[in-house]
Amino acid sequence: MVDFPDVLDDLMMAQQPIFKKSKELFGYELLFRGQDSQNANVSDGEAATSQVLVNLCIGITQLETQLRKPFFINMTTELMLSDAFFPIAPETMYIEILEDQQLTPQFINAIKKWRQAGYRFALDDYQFDKEYENLLPWVSIVKIDVLLTPPTNHLEQIKALKAKGLILVAEKVENQAMFDYCYEMGFDLFQGYFLQKPEIIKGKKINSAAHSAITLVNALQDKDISIDTVTDMVAQNPTLSFQLLRILKSPVSGIPKAVDSIKEAVIFLGLVQLKRWALLITLTSTSVQPKSLFKILLTRARCCQLIAEMDNKAMADSAFITGVMSGIDALFAMEKSVILNQISLSSEIMDAILKSEGTLGTYLKQTMNFENQDWQQIQQIKPEQRAKLNRAFLDAMLWADEVLRELK
């Protein structure tokens, strides 16, 4: 068995904690990291921010307990003016407005819109520029770089910010003396190397289903698209199915729920949220999915579904998702128990996959017997039933071939 820490070897992002006066943890600032683990090296701010968000919500890390703390994340102008980040639950985050932001009327309106929707903002590296005063009514936190902007030069302005009820963060606190001074001046929160340097976060990046996400985004432009159509599109790609289930499971989504089918996941997530997540996934889609593994999983899932339709039609959707998720470990090269723990599945589906229990477990075992050509097990099935299962498996193979042709 693969130990959990051993499989989390991809560079995901960095985090730097933000502390209260008592030096208790308040939250984390999440920082983009590419090939260089120590520096951001950001050439495309929009892609970097999107990568952090996707890694946070879809990638597998050991951050689950930490995500209960507020986290701070930078947002570029493009993302602020779009709704790509909307799936993140407002109470879990502070959006940082960068110091070089051009305060256009469109940007101010976007801030107001998201503030009214419940999102909170932090003004980063505030240098007491009068141009930014118009933002203060919409901001909860003001971060001041105490090296770049020494507090001693701005005593009255700091008092004015406190009088407005704003929370003040002292950034770049490098030593005890600076911590003590900012403490006495009334700063509420503290961040810097004196307290803790940024910590590299590693995990397992989940390869994004580029083609399926783009196709889904295009299809969702149709306001009259049906839930069934969307469900079929999602169900045809195991990676995209997994990503959407991860979103339901993620603490930052604000909507954790165990589901029994892809359709239930689509309904619960909602078409609007689904569109936004597909947009976000598309931004970070860089790799080609292995078609051979897709064919195996699609065939397995479809066969389970067809068996269920012959036996108990009400379980057909659950049988399909059981088949898909039974091989998701091979697709992501991770231990099955590890990866299944990261998504929201009902106990019946989990028992079917991990223990071969229940009706769904029976459907999966029968399908796997045909897939593995386990003739000893197949011969134990009654001839009439064996003929039906054989036909279901052949039909499933043809269906999988057709789906893969559409994905090319």
Side-chain angles (χ1 to χ4, degrees):
M1 180 177 292
V2 180
D3 290 331
F4 190 72
D6 294 339
V7 299
L8 301 182
D9 54 3
D10 292 337
L11 181 63
M12 304 287 282
M13 63 190 94
Q15 64 178 8
Q16 187 172 26
I18 298 172
F19 294 95
K20 303 176 184 178
K21 288 183 176 181
S22 61
K23 295 188 179 178
E24 293 178 53
L25 180 66
F26 175 78
Y28 292 91
E29 180 176 1
L30 299 183
L31 309 165
F32 171 77
R33 289 293 185 270
Q35 296 298 318
D36 183 354
S37 64
Q38 299 304 316
N39 300 291
N41 295 330
V42 177
S43 58
D44 184 339
E46 183 176 3
T49 297
S50 297
Q51 186 67 64
V52 168
L53 288 173
V54 171
N55 285 342
L56 177 66
C57 298
I58 298 177
I60 298 173
T61 74
Q62 292 173 294
L63 279 177
E64 298 297 331
T65 56
Q66 295 177 8
L67 290 178
R68 296 187 179 93
K69 301 286 185 182
F71 61 90
F72 293 67
I73 190 164
N74 295 332
M75 286 288 175
T76 62
T77 301
E78 291 81 4
L79 286 173
M80 286 299 303
L81 295 178
S82 74
D83 58 3
F85 65 94
F86 185 73
I88 307 297
E91 66 273 11
T92 65
M93 70 183 297
Y94 286 92
I95 300 170
E96 292 201 11
I97 303 171
L98 302 179
E99 65 278 7
D100 57 356
Q101 175 63 53
Q102 293 185 358
L103 301 182
T104 63
Q106 293 87 349
F107 185 80
I108 297 293
N109 288 334
I111 294 291
K112 294 178 181 178
K113 174 185 174 182
W114 295 119
R115 188 70 186 89
Q116 291 165 356
Y119 288 89
R120 299 169 295 181
F121 290 90
L123 190 53
D124 192 31
D125 287 344
Y126 184 58
Q127 298 178 31
F128 304 98
D129 190 326
K130 290 184 178 180
E131 181 184 7
Y132 285 83
E133 289 185 2
N134 292 333
L135 274 182
L136 295 181
W138 308 99
V139 168
S140 302
I141 291 178
V142 173
K143 301 179 76 175
I144 299 173
D145 184 331
V146 296
L147 291 181
L148 182 65
T149 311
T152 51
N153 299 341
H154 303 278
L155 297 178
E156 293 304 317
Q157 292 101 318
I158 289 173
K159 289 181 181 179
L161 292 175
K162 292 288 293 180
K164 294 179 184 291
L166 292 166
I167 298 171
L168 299 187
V169 180
E171 290 186 290
K172 303 290 180 63
V173 176
E174 302 289 291
N175 52 52
Q176 182 71 52
M178 179 58 75
F179 177 86
D180 292 340
Y181 182 74
C182 293
Y183 185 104
E184 293 299 325
M185 288 192 64
F187 280 84
D188 305 283
L189 302 171
F190 306 83
Q191 182 180 13
Y193 282 13
F194 167 67
L195 297 157
Q196 188 174 322
K197 294 182 179 181
E199 174 188 4
I200 298 301
I201 300 170
K202 291 192 175 184
K204 185 70 176 180
K205 290 182 180 178
I206 301 300
N207 294 329
S208 297
H211 188 281
S212 295
I214 293 170
T215 302
L216 183 60
V217 169
N218 291 334
L220 287 170
Q221 303 301 320
D222 181 3
K223 295 182 180 179
D224 297 324
I225 192 169
S226 69
I227 289 289
D228 288 337
T229 299
V230 175
T231 299
D232 289 341
M233 294 179 68
V234 173
Q236 288 174 9
N237 193 300
T239 304
L240 189 57
S241 299
F242 176 81
Q243 290 170 324
L244 295 179
L245 290 168
R246 276 287 293 152
I247 291 167
L248 290 178
K249 178 78 170 182
S250 173
V252 298
S253 73
I255 49 173
K257 178 175 172 59
V259 296
D260 290 301
S261 68
I262 296 295
K263 183 173 183 178
E264 188 178 353
V266 170
I267 292 172
F268 190 70
L269 191 61
L271 295 184
V272 175
Q273 291 277 54
L274 184 60
K275 176 181 177 180
R276 287 161 179 163
W277 273 107
L279 283 166
L280 199 58
I281 291 167
T282 303
L283 283 172
T284 57
S285 298
T286 57
S287 61
V288 177
Q289 302 298 320
K291 294 295 188 293
S292 59
L293 281 178
F294 268 157
K295 182 175 180 178
I296 292 172
L297 288 186
L298 290 175
T299 300
R300 187 185 301 171
R302 179 61 173 164
C303 187
C304 287
Q305 182 182 35
L306 291 174
I307 294 172
E309 287 179 353
M310 291 185 289
D311 182 55
N312 184 352
K313 196 168 185 179
M315 300 188 73
D317 286 345
S318 295
F320 185 91
I321 198 172
T322 299
V324 170
M325 293 303 150
S326 68
I328 205 71
D329 54 320
L331 198 61
F332 296 126
M334 293 184 67
E335 177 66 25
K336 183 174 292 185
S337 60
V338 171
I339 197 165
L340 288 178
N341 193 45
Q342 305 300 309
I343 57 180
S344 289
L345 293 173
S346 67
S347 58
E348 290 80 5
I349 293 176
M350 292 288 283
D351 288 343
I353 295 172
L354 297 176
K355 305 175 185 177
S356 299
E357 292 181 353
T359 302
L360 293 175
T362 299
Y363 298 155
L364 181 59
K365 280 191 294 185
Q366 292 175 341
T367 298
M368 295 289 288
N369 287 337
F370 274 84
E371 181 181 304
N372 298 325
Q373 298 185 17
D374 188 339
W375 300 113
Q376 183 176 356
Q377 294 295 326
I378 293 172
Q379 290 298 327
Q380 295 180 18
I381 303 173
K382 293 180 180 180
E384 182 180 349
Q385 181 69 8
R386 186 164 64 240
K388 289 181 178 180
L389 295 179
N390 184 59
R391 181 62 185 174
F393 192 81
L394 291 175
D395 286 347
M397 290 179 65
L398 294 173
W399 178 84
D401 284 336
E402 183 180 349
V403 169
L404 289 175
R405 280 196 298 271
E406 292 297 323
L407 290 176
K408 287 183 180 179

